[in-house]
Amino acid sequence: MKVSRFLLSTMKEVPADAEIISHKLMLRAGMIRKLAAGLYTWLPLGLRVLHKVENIIRDEMDKSGALEVFMPAVQPAELWQESGRWDQYGPELLRLKDRHDREFCFGPTHEEIITDLIRREIHSYKQLPANFYQIQTKFRDEIRPRFGIMRAREFLMKDAYSFHLTQGSLEETYNQMYETYSRIFKRLGLNFRAVLADTGNIGGSRSHEFHVLADSGEDAIAYSTTGDYAANVELAPAVPPTAPRGQPSQSMAAVNTPDQHTIEEVSRFLKVTPAQCVKTLIVKGNEGLVALVIRGDHTLNAVKATKLPEISQPFTFASPEEVRRVTGCEIGSLGPVGLTIPVKVDHSAAQLTDFVCGANKEGQHLVGVNWGREVPAPKQPVDIRNVEPGDPSPDGKGVLAIARGIEVGHIFQLGEKYSSAMSAKVQDEEGRMITLLMGCYGIGVSRIVAAAIEQNHDEFGIIWPQTIAPFTVALLPMNMYKSQRLLEAADKLYQRLLEAGVEVLWDDRKERPGVMFADMELIGIPHRFVMGEKGLDEGYVEYKGRWNKQAQNVPMEKAVEFILEKLRG
RNA sequence: CGGGGUGUAGCUCAGUCUGGUAGAGCGUUGCUUUCGGGAGGCAAAGGCCGGAGGUUCAAAUCCUCUCACCCCGACCA
């Protein structure tokens, strides 16, 4: 490709609304342009990368034996009503009506569609197991689209759905997908980690997420520093303390704590550690309000809390008015002592003796509080906090550390959730109708492009992993339009590279060298040949890898072979 | 959805408080130069000041309404 025939829309300045590095670089490199909130056009440069990602995924999925299909993006409401998700999904589901006033949605995912297809097409156990995938545009009406393509509303996703007669077969395919995903992310040149995950509103049981490790990641993942354990913090269980609760040594007393509301303020004011305090959070339950008590230095895990039978879904904090009605005081002075609503206590908080808590009176806290004395001892402490770095690993090996990750893949064992709701059944060997078991496996294709940039960039721009670079080699002749023989030499090398199947981008613009260098570095082409009159005289081209500090000279006639060698290596 | 903010040239932004003929830098086009790191010079094109209504002799500027976009937001108890 010649730059003069390409749309190279690079920018020096950064559009004001880009926050994270991948968003800035994708805009500056001319990969994407925003149309509206969460909606992006892919320019030719970006699309080349997107297609590379897509093709690697397609290749590995095909190798795994999965079959590609292509389902409609727009889906009839009936199927969603049948699965029950039409009502469950909420405002994230973009709903539409056609001219006959029939209801549709723009698919955020395709469980209903594939299940409908399979129940019509597959009738015998002999056709199982089966795994179908597609690469499709999805739409989720996110509350707050941000970070460019990273959290867009419209995005490209690879989703696969497998069907099984037995749990064993489901597990086999699940494990195979786990391996396939690992190969895909490895080929994409990403530093990633598979972690245990919550199943969210897709439903089902067992689940892993694949995260690209990056500080800008929106998810926190907990992993054992010595063992194999890794899980999304949403899910990672906090190991309950094993030691029995100690004996009280203080008597309870109320102290004045004027204008001290946060744990930090109160603990500093009273000269105790946050871990010696408890915080009381009041949330909506299925029957009135419920108080949740956790240790002052811990944070609530809403995903875990929502799984308690007493807590209503979705997880919602009580409003200040509701809190006042139930406790008679403001948020900021709450405590478990004397509460009349149900109280659920985290394991670590239940372990405390002589602790500090709000007095349920404005400007007062209680010290020397003890379970089983001023407050009923929690009969069944619960796990409702986020794990912290240094907590014991749930598998008993080592302690946990926390890293940030970008979720790029998610695999689930759905079980019968959709197949039973939509009665997708086949006959087994004995002619019995068996409800299918399902697995589902997603990859955020467009998000991967952003994630790859988060992991691979420097002050000059993007540094593409070889396998997804939009072009392999940048060919930069210096002042070519002043030298006919340089132009001819550049053209010759260009043709030779093309014939060798190398994706070369020839900067044939009448630009100054600085502009060419800056552009090619910004758009992240991994290999660069620079040609000048001097090199021509002496029979070499200058080579520099995008990640190299130093350039080197390569004999002109060896240039193609040199690149091919680099690509093999 | 709640709170905050921003809409002026393709991009980044001044100008708005204090009303009086629309600005800069970058980019674009043409010419020029000593042309290996976004260089210099000359010239030019390009804006209903997000939209609608109002106040005024006069509105980018003041008022009202609207639309769009951005940021923050339940782990505070």
Side-chain angles (χ1 to χ4, degrees):
Chain A
M1 179 63 67
K2 295 179 186 178
V3 173
S4 63
R5 308 310 313 150
F6 196 69
L7 184 68
L8 191 65
S9 287
T10 55
M11 288 190 285
K12 259 197 273 195
E13 287 182 281
V14 195
D17 52 359
E19 275 194 287
I20 59 170
I21 193 77
S22 60
H23 189 195
K24 289 179 186 169
L25 288 175
M26 287 180 82
L27 289 168
R28 287 192 54 212
M31 293 177 66
I32 54 169
R33 290 290 181 257
K34 185 167 81 170
L35 178 65
L39 303 177
Y40 291 84
T41 295
W42 289 78
L43 304 187
L45 186 76
L47 190 60
R48 289 181 73 99
V49 178
L50 191 65
H51 282 158
K52 297 239 167 139
V53 174
E54 220 176 284
N55 288 335
I56 288 175
I57 293 170
R58 183 174 280 119
D59 186 50
E60 290 294 337
M61 289 303 293
D62 288 346
K63 276 186 195 159
S64 81
L67 299 173
E68 188 168 6
V69 292
F70 192 57
M71 294 180 269
V74 174
Q75 312 177 0
E78 283 83 354
L79 290 176
W80 285 72
Q81 284 153 353
E82 199 178 340
S83 72
R85 286 206 295 184
W86 187 256
D87 296 323
Q88 284 168 19
Y89 219 91
E92 225 175 83
L93 185 65
L94 179 65
R95 294 155 211 257
L96 324 158
K97 278 187 183 166
D98 71 4
R99 62 167 71 193
H100 306 296
D101 230 27
R102 290 163 54 107
E103 292 193 289
F104 291 85
C105 64
F106 196 111
T109 175
H110 281 71
E111 282 81 9
E112 283 81 0
I113 314 309
I114 192 74
T115 306
D116 178 61
L117 179 76
I118 292 313
R119 69 180 168 183
R120 294 166 191 275
E121 305 297 330
I122 291 193
H123 303 286
S124 160
Y125 73 96
K126 294 177 191 166
Q127 295 170 286
L128 298 179
N131 191 5
F132 298 92
Y133 78 98
Q134 67 170 347
I135 295 174
Q136 241 291 13
T137 296
K138 313 274 184 175
F139 191 97
R140 293 181 188 170
D141 201 352
E142 298 278 351
I143 307 172
R144 222 182 122 195
R146 58 177 138 181
F147 303 147
I149 225 74
M150 188 81 87
R151 181 167 292 284
R153 292 194 293 176
E154 190 177 296
F155 57 100
L156 193 65
M157 181 170 169
K158 188 283 304 179
D159 49 331
Y161 307 89
S162 69
F163 297 87
H164 311 270
L165 204 60
T166 65
Q167 179 64 25
S169 167
L170 170 55
E171 276 166 25
E172 201 174 303
T173 298
Y174 183 89
N175 291 336
Q176 186 192 32
M177 280 296 107
Y178 186 104
E179 296 304 322
T180 298
Y181 275 34
S182 299
R183 274 197 296 279
I184 289 169
F185 295 123
K186 197 168 171 204
R187 273 180 71 181
L188 291 168
L190 299 170
N191 178 18
F192 71 97
R193 181 118 196 201
V195 308
L196 292 165
D198 186 58
T199 51
N201 63 6
I202 302 284
S205 51
R206 192 172 149 74
S207 172
H208 282 88
E209 288 168 352
F210 288 76
H211 284 265
V212 164
L213 303 178
D215 292 337
S216 56
E218 292 186 274
D219 286 290
I221 60 185
Y223 60 95
S224 163
T225 50
T226 50
D228 291 333
Y229 185 84
N232 195 306
V233 164
E234 287 179 346
L235 183 83
V239 178
T242 47
R245 185 164 60 231
Q247 290 301 310
S249 63
Q250 301 174 7
S251 49
M252 186 177 85
V255 292
N256 287 321
T257 50
D259 298 324
Q260 310 296 311
H261 296 297
T262 66
I263 288 289
E264 202 178 309
E265 288 165 354
V266 170
S267 61
R268 199 183 315 122
F269 186 82
L270 296 175
K271 298 192 167 50
V272 296
T273 63
Q276 196 54 39
C277 306
V278 302
K279 44 179 142 179
T280 307
L281 303 102
I282 299 195
V283 304
K284 294 193 175 157
N286 291 321
E287 296 161 22
L289 300 180
V290 176
L292 303 176
V293 177
I294 58 177
R295 218 168 72 185
D297 58 329
H298 289 153
T299 55
L300 181 73
N301 182 315
V303 171
K304 291 181 186 175
T306 309
K307 288 178 183 159
L308 298 179
E310 296 88 345
I311 306 294
S312 67
Q313 235 169 342
F315 182 85
T316 321
F317 277 90
S319 68
E321 295 75 45
E322 289 170 311
V323 170
R324 215 175 297 131
R325 198 178 332 122
V326 168
T327 66
C329 85
E330 296 295 319
I331 289 172
S333 304
L334 294 176
V337 180
L339 283 184
T340 52
I341 56 176
V343 179
K344 304 303 290 183
V345 184
D346 185 74
H347 292 290
S348 298
Q351 169 76 2
L352 292 174
T353 52
D354 303 324
F355 59 84
V356 174
C357 66
N360 297 325
K361 267 185 213 160
E362 182 58 24
Q364 279 205 349
H365 279 75
L366 302 173
V367 300
V369 182
N370 282 280
W371 301 110
R373 206 175 64 180
E374 292 84 16
V375 220
K379 286 192 198 71
Q380 281 193 320
V382 290
D383 177 16
I384 49 171
R385 71 173 176 95
N386 287 320
V387 293
E388 302 282 337
D391 279 349
S393 176
D395 66 355
K397 293 173 192 156
V399 295
L400 294 177
I402 299 203
R404 303 212 62 90
I406 300 165
E407 185 190 343
V408 290
H410 201 160
I411 59 178
F412 304 78
Q413 292 184 18
L414 293 174
E416 296 183 359
K417 181 177 158 98
Y418 297 91
S419 48
S420 69
M422 300 179 64
S423 65
K425 297 175 185 165
V426 297
Q427 282 189 307
D428 70 4
E429 285 176 275
E430 278 129 42
R432 291 173 301 203
M433 296 305 288
I434 306 290
T435 300
L436 292 170
L437 291 171
M438 283 176 66
C440 99
Y441 318 94
I443 291 182
V445 182
S446 43
R447 177 180 280 186
I448 282 172
V449 177
I453 295 172
E454 290 294 324
Q455 267 188 356
N456 300 284
H457 65 269
D458 65 10
E459 57 189 301
F460 303 110
I462 302 166
I463 307 176
W464 288 114
Q466 183 71 59
T467 50
I468 58 174
F471 294 96
T472 306
V473 180
L475 180 60
L476 309 187
M478 301 288 98
N479 303 308
M480 177 174 82
Y481 291 99
K482 293 235 163 118
S483 164
Q484 182 63 27
R485 64 189 191 106
L486 182 57
L487 193 154
E488 283 164 11
D491 192 19
K492 195 172 157 201
L493 181 53
Y494 175 67
Q495 297 299 343
R496 284 169 59 207
L497 286 163
L498 285 182
E499 280 159 25
V502 177
E503 290 179 294
V504 52
L505 184 63
W506 176 12
D507 198 341
D508 62 337
R509 294 175 298 178
K510 209 168 179 174
E511 278 294 352
R512 297 169 54 84
V515 174
M516 294 184 178
F517 293 145
D519 272 347
M520 293 303 130
E521 281 161 7
L522 175 60
I523 68 175
I525 310 302
H527 305 282
R528 180 180 91 185
F529 279 139
V530 175
M531 299 179 74
E533 289 240 287
K534 183 161 179 255
L536 209 54
D537 289 338
E538 296 172 21
Y540 68 82
V541 288
E542 178 194 287
Y543 168 82
K544 183 174 165 300
R546 179 66 179 79
W547 52 85
N548 295 140
K549 289 247 184 299
Q550 289 291 322
Q552 59 177 295
N553 292 331
V554 176
M556 185 71 78
E557 65 275 14
K558 296 241 174 79
V560 174
E561 184 49 39
F562 179 86
I563 283 295
L564 292 175
E565 187 56 38
K566 287 271 176 197
L567 298 186
R568 279 193 289 271

